[in-house]
Amino acid sequence: MSIIDARELAETGEFATDICIIGSGAAGLTLASQLDAAGQDVCVLESGGFQPESETQSLNDLENLGYPIRENFMSRARYYGGSCNIWAGRSMLYGPSELACREWVTDSGWPLPYPELARHLPGAAKILGLPSVELFDPERHRAGLSASEISLYATDALTPTVSLWAPRPKRFGAAYRGQLRRSRNIRLILHASAVNLNLDESGTRIASVDAATISNRRFRIRARTVVLACGGMENARLLLLSRGQHSNGIGNANDLVGRYFMDHPRAVYGRVRLHPSTRLSLLDGYPRAEGKVQFGIGFSPELQRREGLLDHYATLEMAHSDYTAKQYHSFIRTMKVLLRKGYAGNRWDVGRARLGDISGLVYLLTPRELMPHPLYRAYWRARRLVRGRRGGGERVVVYFCEQPPDRESRVTLSDQRDQLGLNRIALHWNVGAAVEESVLRLQSLLQQRLAETGLGTLEPGQGPIRFTDASHHMGTTRMSHSPRTGVVDLNGMVHGVEGLYVAGSSVFPSASNRNPTFTIVALALRLAQHLTQRAGGPA
């Protein structure tokens, strides 16, 4: 592989390649790795370098015009390896019910048949270092359920959800750096931000990509295939910015690029006091040699259908005192020194965080997500040794929510400009009343079930629910059979533009409650297979 720093190029230049991938995150590097193995000539454009840089990171600054999002928080990492550099590692499975059309959720459902996704899930699990895909099945963990948990789930209203973590979150940049260095097929161009997509004279085929550095060195990549893999917001932004032949942007004849922006709203709301005999095994989460597992409490598909509910789930996290919350600053600072990566190392400016928000952060980012796996296993064993077989205690309820597709929740172009002279993103995030209604219904069901079983009591949350975003940016270039209802086809190609593809969660037509990374990687494997076949390679 040749590594090129675009800042060292001549003022103007031009490269030619078969496939240009814009972005070096989970989707981009998975795709590049697979295409390399197939012998394809690939150029990867990365806006940043090998380490985070404040000037490059500021290209992600946006104008927020909708529901409040977290302040002073790096939700998108603009350097080699992408946002998986700051990913905590939670993986969840999009199954048949998550891809199905639900008549009570407008514009829900994926056009992609589930078997088309499922055949790439084992490969995605291997890439992410996850335990077997079969461990996403709650039945595989039934032997580990406590009697309390069996009682809790013995109803047709509630069902378990399963989250898995690998021993270490996949850092795609580090994981693939060796392969890319050895490759003769891949060029990585750093500090190169894509600023425009050029089509051929007919306006129906991709021709090239214009790129620039912050110091305003500009060059062009000519490619027969271009893949946008720069995130759920930036994919849409680049299409909207590219107005040379289409005044509304590429793929936007029906005003759909940037619409249907989704995230996974989260909230800490309500408190549970467990009976002294109540023991939670899988709901508290536990480490295995090959990773970590945690159960959640979700609506059953039957109840969702019967009552028209969204696909939310909740976890019960250890309650902490105000003193503990205040000490969380110290914990984060310590983890920054120990880890220098991930949430604790890069994602917060702790000194600027409002102390009033810390109590929520304690629950949204638990030790299982902050600690390296060996350290968490030791912590878990020590806590279990100290607590013995004691049950009871207090928990807070953390809700992980589905946001339904909404045309008016969207990414548009702001009048503000970045250092490259490009329009910044204007984000109009609409959470919607249905999200809160389903939280209240889940809270009510959980309260009722705890009382019925004698497991404990739930003290409901008070006042309006304060949601936070989860940095899961989805839906802005949604997959569809027709350009009238979406932006890309089932292979991720922009409708009506030969050779221009989109990878990542921006193609998700609906979001369920599931973290997207596992599915992003599976779809990248599928796209790699499609592009290889398209080029005449093996199936």
Side-chain angles (χ1 to χ4, degrees):
M1 174 186 72
S2 60
I3 299 176
I4 301 169
D5 191 325
R7 298 172 300 183
E8 299 172 0
L9 294 172
E11 289 296 329
T12 59
E14 186 168 299
F15 298 86
T17 187
D18 290 335
I19 301 174
C20 177
I21 300 171
I22 302 173
S24 67
L29 288 183
T30 297
L31 189 58
S33 172
Q34 296 295 309
L35 295 173
D36 174 41
Q40 301 292 305
D41 180 49
V42 177
C43 178
V44 178
L45 293 184
E46 170 51 53
S47 182
F50 285 125
Q51 299 295 328
E53 302 155 349
S54 59
E55 190 174 24
T56 303
Q57 186 62 34
S58 68
L59 294 172
N60 281 344
D61 291 349
L62 55 78
E63 181 182 9
N64 184 32
L65 304 176
Y67 194 90
I69 58 175
R70 286 170 289 183
E71 299 176 0
N72 305 321
F73 190 83
M74 186 192 293
S75 67
R76 298 169 289 153
R78 204 168 179 124
Y79 64 104
Y80 174 70
S83 294
C84 277
N85 285 309
I86 53 175
W87 179 47
R90 183 191 295 262
S91 291
M92 301 184 77
L93 175 69
Y94 278 64
S97 61
E98 284 71 46
L99 269 61
C101 177
R102 292 164 289 160
E103 61 272 13
W104 64 94
V105 181
T106 304
D107 293 320
S108 65
W110 291 44
L112 186 71
Y114 181 70
E116 279 292 301
L117 174 65
R119 63 194 179 95
H120 297 287
L121 295 177
K126 183 177 180 180
I127 285 172
L128 292 173
L130 292 171
S132 167
V133 174
E134 295 177 352
L135 290 181
F136 283 110
D137 181 358
E139 290 298 316
R140 294 296 299 270
H141 304 278
R142 181 161 291 276
L145 287 169
S146 68
S148 302
E149 291 167 328
I150 291 172
S151 177
L152 178 67
Y153 290 120
T155 169
D156 64 357
L158 301 175
T159 191
T161 61
V162 179
S163 298
L164 300 180
W165 287 260
R168 297 173 57 188
K170 180 81 168 190
R171 302 297 180 224
F172 280 78
Y176 286 119
R177 197 163 173 176
Q179 178 189 346
L180 299 188
R181 282 192 181 280
R182 295 188 298 271
S183 172
R184 298 182 179 181
N185 303 312
I186 297 177
R187 277 174 291 182
L188 172 65
I189 306 181
L190 301 173
H191 298 106
S193 298
V195 297
N196 188 62
L197 305 172
N198 302 300
L199 304 182
D200 67 3
E201 292 182 359
S202 71
T204 61
R205 179 182 289 274
I206 191 67
S208 62
V209 177
D210 290 332
T213 67
I214 290 179
S215 60
N216 206 34
R217 296 181 185 272
R218 295 182 176 261
F219 59 97
R220 177 167 290 181
I221 306 291
R222 296 196 177 276
R224 60 178 178 81
T225 300
V226 172
V227 182
L228 310 188
C230 43
M233 294 188 188
E234 291 295 329
N235 285 343
R237 181 193 189 200
L238 190 50
L239 290 172
L240 292 171
L241 285 169
S242 302
R243 294 168 285 189
Q245 289 169 276
H246 299 284
S247 59
N248 293 328
I250 295 174
N252 200 31
N254 294 297
D255 189 27
L256 292 173
V257 173
R259 290 192 182 272
Y260 296 100
F261 173 82
M262 296 172 290
D263 204 319
H264 287 133
R266 295 182 179 180
V268 180
Y269 197 68
R271 203 173 189 89
V272 170
R273 289 180 173 84
L274 298 174
H275 188 275
S277 64
T278 300
R279 296 181 62 242
L280 304 180
S281 301
L282 294 181
L283 281 167
D284 276 348
Y286 75 98
R288 302 166 58 101
E290 69 271 39
K292 291 169 278 193
V293 181
Q294 185 189 21
F295 268 31
I297 306 164
F299 294 122
S300 69
E302 295 76 15
L303 186 72
Q304 290 180 51
R305 184 180 304 108
R306 188 163 65 243
E307 298 190 11
L309 297 167
L310 296 174
D311 189 18
H312 293 3
Y313 78 96
T315 62
L316 304 181
E317 303 293 350
M318 297 295 295
H320 297 276
S321 66
D322 291 340
Y323 173 80
T324 302
K326 291 177 182 178
Q327 298 308 305
Y328 205 60
H329 275 305
S330 299
F331 175 67
I332 293 298
R333 291 185 187 278
T334 301
M335 297 308 287
K336 286 176 74 173
V337 173
L338 292 174
L339 304 182
R340 297 291 182 189
K341 65 180 181 180
Y343 279 99
N346 301 15
R347 212 155 173 171
W348 279 312
D349 180 350
V350 178
R352 295 163 62 191
R354 294 191 301 272
L355 187 60
D357 291 340
I358 293 297
S359 59
L361 295 176
V362 170
Y363 309 120
L364 292 176
L365 290 170
T366 59
R368 80 179 67 85
E369 294 180 297
L370 286 165
M371 292 181 178
H373 187 58
L375 183 58
Y376 175 67
R377 290 187 76 189
Y379 161 83
W380 183 85
R381 287 168 177 163
R383 189 183 71 180
R384 192 171 186 182
L385 183 64
V386 170
R387 288 180 58 86
R389 298 184 62 83
R390 285 184 296 143
E394 291 192 1
R395 303 288 193 278
V396 293
V397 190
V398 183
Y399 294 92
F400 299 77
C401 304
E402 175 185 24
Q403 179 190 344
D406 178 357
R407 280 179 55 89
E408 301 309 314
S409 185
R410 64 187 302 198
V411 164
T412 60
L413 297 179
S414 169
D415 291 333
Q416 299 176 9
R417 303 271 175 162
D418 64 16
Q419 298 95 313
L420 296 171
L422 305 176
N423 301 84
R424 292 194 183 277
I425 287 171
L427 178 62
H428 311 249
W429 184 31
N430 290 346
V431 172
V435 176
E436 181 166 344
E437 291 167 3
S438 289
V439 167
L440 295 176
R441 180 59 176 137
L442 184 53
Q443 177 178 254
S444 174
L445 285 170
L446 184 56
Q447 181 182 38
Q448 176 183 338
R449 190 63 187 159
L450 289 169
E452 289 173 347
T453 58
L455 296 176
T457 60
L458 188 153
E459 179 183 317
Q462 301 297 315
I465 301 174
R466 288 181 55 200
F467 292 103
T468 66
D469 55 297
S471 304
H472 301 164
H473 305 147
M474 301 167 284
T476 56
T477 63
R478 65 195 329 249
M479 182 189 299
S480 67
H481 287 296
S482 165
R484 295 189 299 275
T485 55
V487 178
V488 304
D489 67 14
L490 272 63
N491 292 315
M493 192 177 80
V494 174
H495 287 298
V497 183
E498 183 70 24
L500 178 59
Y501 291 81
V502 181
S505 54
S506 68
V507 308
F508 289 18
S510 51
S512 181
N513 56 40
R514 311 297 167 99
N515 292 50
T517 305
F518 183 42
T519 304
I520 288 172
V521 174
L523 289 176
L525 292 175
R526 182 174 181 271
L527 177 55
Q529 184 180 76
H530 167 75
L531 294 178
T532 300
Q533 293 172 340
R534 183 171 174 264

